[in-house]
Amino acid sequence: MRRSLLLAVTAALMLLAAACGDNKSAPTQPAILPPPVATPTPGALPTPTPPPTGSSTRIVNVGPGNLFMDSQSGSSTTTIKAGDTVRWNFVDSVSHSTTSGPCCTANGLWDSGVRASGSFSRQFAQLGTFPYFCTVHGSMMTGTVVVNP
């Protein structure tokens, strides 16, 4: 029995040696695998999309008649996309301002200062609704900028 076992082991070793052999070919390079693709987690928030590079400018006329008038909507609400700019044009000889915050408390995001002519611009990168008012006319003169994705 020992002899049979010894012969079987010897035969196995000879087969193994023959299979491995003396391979003179060049070693192969390890395979480079592409990075794994991320699988979204259910319920996870999507990654925000950066604002488009081709942003635009929306005009809001300040006065006459103590109004903020969006040139496209014809109202005191200006709806834009993230990355766009709002330019307030002071078209009245009466002094006005565009000051961020709910009437009549400035929140410090922007303030054109009181003026009767010229223009003031601000770019909006963050999504949201931004109320503003005129510090001269208070609740009689308010507006809103709505920034969408």
Side-chain angles (χ1 to χ4, degrees), residues 37-62:
V37 176
T39 305
T41 305
L45 296 175
T47 303
T49 304
T53 55
S55 63
S56 63
T57 299
R58 181 67 74 81
I59 305 297
V60 175
N61 290 318
V62 182

Side-chain angles (χ1 to χ4, degrees), residues 62-143:
V62 182
N66 297 342
L67 296 173
F68 292 110
M69 183 70 67
D70 179 88
S71 62
Q72 287 186 3
S73 72
S75 73
S76 62
T77 299
T78 303
T79 303
I80 60 173
K81 292 183 178 182
D84 287 354
T85 299
V86 175
R87 184 174 74 217
W88 289 269
N89 288 335
F90 293 80
V91 296
D92 198 357
S93 59
V94 176
S95 293
H96 300 287
S97 79
T98 171
T99 305
S100 64
C103 187
C104 291
T105 305
N107 64 11
L109 293 177
W110 76 85
D111 187 354
S112 66
V114 176
R115 55 178 70 195
S117 63
S119 66
F120 174 80
S121 296
R122 183 178 192 283
Q123 185 177 29
F124 291 82
Q126 188 174 14
L127 304 179
T129 300
F130 302 90
Y132 63 95
F133 63 99
C134 171
T135 57
V136 176
H137 297 98
S139 63
M140 293 179 4
M141 191 170 176
T142 62

Side-chain angles (χ1 to χ4, degrees), residues 32 54 108:
I32 298 174

